[in-house]
């Protein structure tokens, strides 16, 4: 058995480096902190923290409200003020107070009522088929199939297409002499139709542009809502012997009520603001055809303000459209509460 010997370190020579002072010893040797100063410092930190928690969220959302006030609220209020005056586009700073005369003149304006009827008609014949087809396509895409992602992307393509390009293509399709649609109708013995001259034909043509652009968009909304429906409901219905059509009627449609109501309201609002499609279909004019057969409220507003240069009356039309949207919003609110109450989702 061996014994291990270790040599101890030699002592430090005299005159070497001074030993390091302990921090606790150093701090303790300094002047004592002022309690009042430390208290004020703590209060300032606490106050800054409270301000940060209380006011920082307002700072984060303030850019949106700044832009909304500048480009949303101010134009709305200015338009309301202008609707109470007689204003010319050439002299917008010279306003003459007329009160509600611009609104009362709309009541007796046959062109305004015709534009309102056209807007309503185009909205109906474009919204109803559009949403019905979107619902059916979403139901088909909800099944497992090959290339489903490709079909979904293809559905969104019309929505991504420029309204000018879509209107140009449809104007060529609906051409009286060389349009592809008249050519196809001629194969079954139907004479050429002048789509732009007739009331119903022109409104049907404009509606087809709207349907083509927005059906895919609504299809994806319905598809997302369908995929959120629990599969247990379909399995239970299948065990009870329900066919696919019965599952669609009694499971899918009731589950999609809020989504269907949302798309109906959004499509109605979009139809009320319809502008680009009828204007480009008519070749860029704001008159909506020779007899105003497809002139919408948006086109009539543009014609009154920027063609006839009556900014006061155009502002009155804009505020009338705004009030219509408020009425549509109230109807949506009442219907959504009724739907929630019927489905038992309301407290």
């Amino acid at each position: 058995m061996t014994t291990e010997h270790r040599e101890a370190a030699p002592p430090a020579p005299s005159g070497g480096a001074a030993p390091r002072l302990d921090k606790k010893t150093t701090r303790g040797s300094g002047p004592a902190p002022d309690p009042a100063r430390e208290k004020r410092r703590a209060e300032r930190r606490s106050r800054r923290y409270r301000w940060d928690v209380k006011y920082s969220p307002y700072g984060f959302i303030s850019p949106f409200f700044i832009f909304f006030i500048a480009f949303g609220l101010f134009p709305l209020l200015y338009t309301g003020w202008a609707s109470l005056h007689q204003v010319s586009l050439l002299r917008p700073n010279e306003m003459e107070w007329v009160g509600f005369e611009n609104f009362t003149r709309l009541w007796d304006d046959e062109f305004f009522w015709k534009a309102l009827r056209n807007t309503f008609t185009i909205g109906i014949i474009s919204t109803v088929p559009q949403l019905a087809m979107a619902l059916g396509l979403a139901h088909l895409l909800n099944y497992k199939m090959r290339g489903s992602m490709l079909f979904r992307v293809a559905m969104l393509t019309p929505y991504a297409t420029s309204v000018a390009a879509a209107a140009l293509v449809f104007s060529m399709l609906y051409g009286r002499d060389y349009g592809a649609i008249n050519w196809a109708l001629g194969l079954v013995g139907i004479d050429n139709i002048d789509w732009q001259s007739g009331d119903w034909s022109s409104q049907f043509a404009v509606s087809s542009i709207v349907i083509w652009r927005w059906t895919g968009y609504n299809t994806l909304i319905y598809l997302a809502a369908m995929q959120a429906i629990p599969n247990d409901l379909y399995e239970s219905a299948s065990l009870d012997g329900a066919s696919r059509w019965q599952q669609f009627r009694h499971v899918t449609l009731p589950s999609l009520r809020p989504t269907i109501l949302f798309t109906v309201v959004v499509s109605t609002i979009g139809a009320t603001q319809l502008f680009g499609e009828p204007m480009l279909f008519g070749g860029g004019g704001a008159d909506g055809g020779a007899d105003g057969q497809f002139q919408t409220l948006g086109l009539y507003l543009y014609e009154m303000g920027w063609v006839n240069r009556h900014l006061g009356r155009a502002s009155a039309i804009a505020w009338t459209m705004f009030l219509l949207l408020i009425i549509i919003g109230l109807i949506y609110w009442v219907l959504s509460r009724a739907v929630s109450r019927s489905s038992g989702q309301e407290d």
Side-chain angles (χ1 to χ4, degrees):
M1 182 175 181
T2 60
T3 302
E4 184 179 2
H5 299 280
R6 293 183 177 177
E7 295 182 355
S14 59
R20 186 175 57 182
L21 295 177
D22 190 2
K23 293 183 178 178
K24 295 181 179 178
T25 305
T26 306
R27 290 175 181 173
S29 60
D34 185 2
R37 183 178 180 184
E38 291 296 326
K39 183 180 179 181
R40 290 195 297 272
R41 184 178 299 172
E43 289 177 352
R44 284 197 298 271
R45 286 199 298 268
S46 177
R47 192 182 305 113
R48 286 198 297 268
Y49 175 75
R50 290 198 305 271
W51 288 353
D52 182 33
V53 172
K54 188 174 182 180
Y55 298 112
S56 291
Y58 296 103
F60 293 145
I61 63 175
S62 59
F64 165 76
F65 287 99
I66 292 173
F67 282 99
F68 172 73
I69 292 173
F71 300 105
L73 184 60
F74 174 74
L76 179 66
L77 297 178
Y78 183 81
T79 304
W81 179 251
S83 66
L84 304 176
H85 294 76
Q86 184 177 355
V87 194
S88 172
L89 179 65
L90 300 178
R91 296 178 297 276
N93 294 327
E94 299 179 6
M95 295 185 176
E96 181 182 353
W97 175 264
V98 293
F100 290 95
E101 182 181 344
N102 289 326
F103 291 95
T104 56
R105 289 185 65 178
L106 289 179
W107 185 262
D108 299 326
D109 189 351
E110 60 174 327
F111 297 103
F112 169 77
W113 289 108
K114 185 164 187 176
L116 182 61
R117 283 196 302 272
N118 292 340
T119 303
F120 179 78
T121 306
I122 294 175
I124 292 294
I125 61 179
S126 64
T127 300
V128 175
Q130 173 194 151
L131 297 183
M133 287 192 297
L135 194 60
L137 290 172
H139 183 67
L140 294 177
L141 288 176
N142 199 27
Y143 289 109
K144 292 182 180 179
M145 61 176 65
R146 291 183 178 179
S148 59
M149 184 59 67
L150 177 63
F151 289 115
R152 295 173 187 177
V153 173
M155 286 289 171
L156 200 59
T157 303
Y159 174 70
T161 305
S162 168
V163 61
L168 177 63
V169 171
F170 274 84
S171 297
M172 296 173 65
L173 291 176
Y174 283 108
R176 184 188 61 183
D177 298 324
Y178 305 103
I181 294 178
N182 276 343
W183 172 79
L185 292 177
L187 296 179
V188 294
I190 300 177
D191 296 333
N192 287 354
I193 300 175
D194 190 357
W195 293 94
Q196 287 194 3
S197 62
D199 289 354
W200 284 102
S201 60
S202 60
Q203 293 175 13
F204 175 81
V206 173
S207 300
S208 64
I209 304 174
V210 180
I211 292 171
W212 184 81
R213 289 195 66 228
W214 291 96
T215 298
Y217 176 80
N218 289 307
T219 298
L220 295 185
I221 292 179
Y222 287 146
L223 180 61
M226 287 180 182
Q227 292 180 344
I229 300 175
N231 289 326
D232 299 343
L233 298 178
Y234 291 105
E235 293 175 358
S236 299
S238 179
L239 291 176
D240 291 339
S243 62
R244 289 191 178 276
W245 171 246
Q246 290 173 329
Q247 292 178 22
F248 179 75
R249 285 182 53 197
H250 300 292
V251 177
T252 304
L253 285 182
S255 302
L256 292 180
R257 280 179 186 169
T259 307
I260 293 174
L261 182 59
F262 169 76
T263 53
V264 168
V265 173
V266 172
S267 300
T268 305
I269 293 175
T272 306
Q273 301 173 339
L274 200 60
F275 178 78
E277 288 86 349
M279 186 175 190
L280 295 172
F281 178 73
D287 53 357
D291 196 25
Q293 59 269 21
F294 54 93
Q295 186 181 47
T296 59
L297 282 178
L299 278 182
Y300 187 57
L301 183 153
Y302 179 80
E303 182 185 27
M304 187 60 64
W306 278 263
V307 178
N308 299 335
R309 301 172 180 175
H310 297 313
L311 284 185
R313 296 185 62 186
S315 300
I317 297 171
W319 261 84
T320 304
M321 295 172 63
F322 177 66
L323 295 177
L324 286 176
L325 295 181
I326 290 179
I327 293 174
I328 293 172
L330 291 175
I331 294 174
Y332 167 72
W333 178 72
V334 172
L335 292 178
S336 62
R337 285 179 61 87
V339 170
S340 300
R341 191 179 297 113
S342 63
S343 59
Q345 296 178 356
E346 191 178 57
D347 294 334

